[in-house]
Amino acid sequence: MGLRICALAILVLFSLYTGWTMLIAEQSLALGGLAVALEAATLSVLWLSVVFTVARVLHTLAYLRGLQPWRTLFYGIGVICLLGFCLLITARIGS
């Protein structure tokens, strides 16, 4: 009985993590699309998109191999790219 509860708890945590990862991916798609639609600086959008994509792929590989702190580092780089998109969008709306 105790093993089943532990397995269920792990499954719920993994499901929450997977949902969070999918949410981050959707945010990057939405922010990138909005930056393109608002005609933000093309070179900046391109670089942020490439760096975000590479960071997410490296994060996945680090996750599969269990490499810490690399996994956290690559995740943080992806979040910084999302913040960069936010800055581009804000600057474009403000101008």
Side-chain angles (χ1 to χ4, degrees):
M1 181 71 174
L3 187 60
R4 283 187 166 189
I5 292 174
C6 183
L8 179 62
I10 291 172
L11 181 61
V12 168
L13 289 174
F14 182 73
S15 297
L16 290 172
Y17 170 78
T18 302
W20 173 253
T21 302
M22 291 175 69
L23 180 64
I24 292 291
E26 289 175 7
Q27 287 173 346
S28 67
L29 184 61
L31 288 173
L34 186 57
V36 169
L38 291 173
E39 298 177 356
T42 306
L43 190 60
S44 298
V45 171
L46 177 68
W47 273 106
L48 286 172
S49 298
V50 168
V51 171
F52 178 83
T53 302
V54 169
R56 292 304 293 173
V57 169
L58 291 174
H59 171 267
T60 301
L61 293 174
Y63 173 75
L64 292 174
R65 293 185 174 242
L67 301 175
Q68 283 289 11
W70 297 106
R71 178 179 162 208
T72 304
L73 178 70
F74 296 136
Y75 181 84
I77 291 170
V79 170
I80 290 170
C81 289
L82 292 178
L83 293 173
F85 275 122
C86 290
L87 287 174
L88 286 176
I89 291 167
T90 304
R92 183 65 181 154
I93 291 173
S95 64

